[in-house]
Amino acid sequence: MADSSDRKAVVGNKQVIFMDFVSGFPKESSMYVTTGTVKLKLPQGCRGVLLKNLYLSCDTYMRILMKPHNGSSGDAFNPYAPGCPIYGFGVAKVLDSGHPDFRKGDLVWGITTWEEYSVITAPEILFKIQHTDQLCFFFIFLLIIGMAGMTAFIGFYEICSPKKGEYVYVSAALGAIGQLVGQFAKLTGCYVVGSAGSKEKVDLLKNKFGFDEAFNYKEEHDLNAALKRHFPEGIDIYFDNVGGKMLDAVLLNMRVHGRIAACGMISQYNADKPEGVSNLMNIVYKSVRMEGFTAMDHLQQYSKFLGTIIPYIKEGKIAYAEDIAEGLENGPSALLGLFHGRSIGKQIIVVARA
Amino acid sequence: MADSSDRKAVVGNKQVIFMDFVSGFPKESSMYVTTGTVKLKLPQGCRGVLLKNLYLSCDTYMRILMKPHNGSSGDAFNPYAPGCPIYGFGVAKVLDSGHPDFRKGDLVWGITTWEEYSVITAPEILFKIQHTDQLCFFFIFLLIIGMAGMTAFIGFYEICSPKKGEYVYVSAALGAIGQLVGQFAKLTGCYVVGSAGSKEKVDLLKNKFGFDEAFNYKEEHDLNAALKRHFPEGIDIYFDNVGGKMLDAVLLNMRVHGRIAACGMISQYNADKPEGVSNLMNIVYKSVRMEGFTAMDHLQQYSKFLGTIIPYIKEGKIAYAEDIAEGLENGPSALLGLFHGRSIGKQIIVVARA
């Protein structure tokens, strides 16, 4: 009887819809919030899952998805489709499943759409969250155990090949990824300097996250001079979240055999014409490796990552900062805040708490 | 008695002396040829070697050594010292040795100074040439078995991690390194396109070196369009010898997980202000790895390299083109020719033939 009534249950479904491809800074009008309807039961024979979304993650790479493909083949990301909900990482509860790996009531994380309820037809990209201990806070999943954590972990340990005593620089260091990279670097025995865009963020980097030094890039007229001041011996590892002028200044300060993890270039995402980087010859002169990556390409290392990160969290060796927006209707504004440096730490949207 | 007269033998020693640090294109007046003297016997107790130089190699990296250090620590190269002879790779004969590894009459290759006779105080950077078979042509040493060959070998096989069937693009493809990279790529089963600066060079690439396609970059107004025409599926591997605008166009055409060996940036060496490269975001979007390297960092692979290259040469699977200048007095002009696209193939200077 319950089952039969479920099958007919149709409820309102708030959604964040993508308007159209964006040039320059995205605006709130680049998306709109609307309310559709959804049947709280999958159609007969569907092998997908129906999710109730709980927490959604705001990430800078989402800006990239607001541009159309540039025509070259094989882009790593599919852009958003105008008229459809945007998508990103989230934590959700399974309400109905036609897939043998998922059952009603499971908690999952992975790629989901920005709506109250999502039908995911290919749930192989979802990961079950195990309720085994008190670590299972949803925030921690999105913040650390989810994609930001994997990105920081893969980017730092795999791409940067760090060694104890090396000089590490992290830009956008208070972002969800940067704050973790800095802490991984300290745990590895590196000297770590971070940059961010306000005094409040700089203080957090030094006092909460244990960076050896930090500076406000907005107060530096000469980024090269700022880096020389902080790294008189040069930089072994640069974890790049910003690109552009900062990358150009860093290239002048790289040491021989230095490594640059090209994680993101937020300074360029909203530019119609990207800034030119002039100092690439240092890559030749100093045998520097610069490498782009996505955590998705390294999912086979997820259990190694958990085996590293969970003890760190339990022992209190990893701090984190999150910025919470309540309600899907506040999603667009929270997402856009990333590009204006408004969020302090990981930006998360609470769609529902259970 | 012979020994006693040797000790006193002083002969003229033609030298190519570096004038002063260069901005813009180097000119013949950036160097001058003079004749000093040298005693054809090492001082008592010296653990170096005295060389009679036979063949000298002209390489584009030598332009880098004509600039002073930019002040950052740990540059991979020591610049030339004004008033002293320039240096580079060469083949030479040992006239006298105070080092247990070398004997009078040995043939060696490695870093030597641009003079008729050189005293090398740290001969650990010299390699003995074994007279074991008919491969021992000096040209082949400089051209293939020497540093150009090692650079092509390490750059292609180690840095680019090539796989059969991949799409490979080589710029300055008729240079000493480029011509070998293209042939290694064909031997690996890749599809290879090269670019060069004249019709004659393009013809050589296709007809002598077996490139699948080649084009004259000087005839292309839109490098991006030229690359799209030659690589409709995109580029997996770019072996970069030129940097600048070409690199910028290549970045637009890289495939996911592409690799760029940053071997040289000849288009930028003579520029006082390097060109900006605007399309680095593709490194992030497409998880591209771009890596600088020097063969000197991989010398432990030299015997593996010989084990690969010598059979190729014996079986006639590797072609090569050289451009010979006779006499040290023609050295400056031959070296400068590299930066004006004058040489066809590897530029070598014959100082003496025995």
Side-chain angles (χ1 to χ4, degrees), chain B residues 174-217:
Chain B
L174 201 69
I177 297 166
Q179 59 180 251
L180 290 170
V181 169
Q183 294 178 86
F184 290 154
K186 284 312 299 171
L187 288 164
T188 307
C190 299
Y191 179 85
V192 190
V193 178
S195 59
S198 74
K199 182 177 182 314
E200 180 186 6
K201 292 180 180 181
V202 165
D203 289 344
L204 278 170
L205 289 173
K206 290 200 277 194
N207 302 323
K208 178 167 182 168
F209 294 104
F211 283 61
D212 294 290
E213 276 299 335
F215 65 94
N216 179 350
Y217 71 92

Side-chain angles (χ1 to χ4, degrees), chain B residues 118-153:
Chain B
S118 304
V119 174
I120 305 294
T121 52
E124 290 76 11
I125 55 164
L126 296 173
F127 303 86
K128 270 198 274 196
I129 298 174
Q130 308 297 332
H131 297 261
T132 51
D133 59 36
Q134 75 278 32
L135 283 176
C136 180
F137 296 112
F138 304 142
F139 292 157
I140 293 183
F141 265 92
L142 278 184
L143 203 77
I144 301 180
I145 300 189
M147 210 33 63
M150 261 297 272
T151 301
F153 183 81

Side-chain angles (χ1 to χ4, degrees), chain A residues 16-272:
Chain A
V16 176
I17 304 291
F18 183 54
M19 277 290 275
D20 202 357
F21 295 116
V22 170
S23 71
F25 273 84
K27 303 181 193 66
E28 290 212 30
S29 61
S30 308
M31 296 163 269
Y32 63 93
V33 179
T34 185
T35 301
T37 58
V38 66
K39 195 187 264 190
L40 290 186
K41 189 79 191 159
L42 289 171
Q44 199 78 30
C46 170
R47 282 177 58 85
V49 294
L50 172 70
L51 299 181
K52 181 180 186 189
N53 291 309
L54 303 177
Y55 301 92
L56 297 173
S57 171
C58 295
D59 294 291
T60 54
Y61 75 85
M62 297 167 79
R63 173 65 184 85
I64 303 173
L65 308 183
M66 298 181 184
K67 285 182 189 171
H69 273 306
N70 69 1
S72 66
S73 58
D75 277 337
F77 299 95
N78 282 322
Y80 293 139
C84 294
I86 68 172
Y87 64 84
F89 286 98
V91 168
K93 194 164 73 177
V94 175
L95 294 189
D96 191 14
S97 172
H99 192 283
D101 291 351
F102 298 94
R103 289 191 310 180
K104 183 173 172 173
D106 282 348
L107 282 170
V108 296
W109 74 271
I111 292 281
T112 186
T113 45
W114 279 36
E115 348 178 44
E116 288 176 287
Y117 302 93
S118 303
V119 174
I120 306 293
T121 53
E124 290 75 12
I125 55 164
L126 296 174
F127 302 86
K128 271 198 272 197
I129 298 173
Q130 307 298 332
H131 298 260
T132 50
D133 59 33
Q134 77 277 32
L135 285 176
C136 181
F137 295 112
F138 303 141
F139 291 157
I140 292 184
F141 265 92
L142 277 185
L143 203 76
I144 301 181
I145 299 188
M147 213 30 64
M150 260 297 270
T151 302
F153 182 81
I154 293 297
F156 186 65
Y157 289 109
E158 294 290 314
I159 304 296
C160 296
S161 316
K163 289 186 284 292
K164 186 176 169 181
E166 286 194 317
Y167 298 98
V168 176
Y169 173 53
V170 186
S171 58
L174 201 69
I177 296 167
Q179 61 181 251
L180 289 171
V181 169
Q183 294 178 88
F184 290 154
K186 285 311 300 172
L187 288 164
T188 307
C190 299
Y191 179 84
V192 191
V193 178
S195 59
S198 73
K199 182 177 183 310
E200 179 186 6
K201 291 180 179 181
V202 166
D203 290 344
L204 278 169
L205 288 173
K206 290 201 278 193
N207 301 325
K208 178 167 181 170
F209 293 105
F211 283 61
D212 293 291
E213 275 300 334
F215 65 94
N216 179 351
Y217 71 91
K218 290 181 180 168
E219 290 183 348
E220 302 288 347
H221 298 291
D222 180 343
L223 292 174
N224 180 26
L227 292 169
K228 287 210 171 4
R229 198 169 70 233
H230 285 291
F231 294 100
E233 308 287 324
I235 297 168
D236 293 298
I237 290 173
Y238 173 43
F239 199 98
D240 188 13
N241 292 306
V242 306
K245 286 188 181 68
M246 182 64 87
L247 172 59
D248 221 6
V250 168
L251 284 165
L252 292 174
N253 290 279
M254 289 303 288
R255 302 181 88 193
V256 171
H257 299 141
R259 290 132 272 156
I260 298 174
C263 181
M265 297 197 177
I266 192 173
S267 73
Q268 305 300 300
Y269 293 157
N270 300 311
D272 286 332

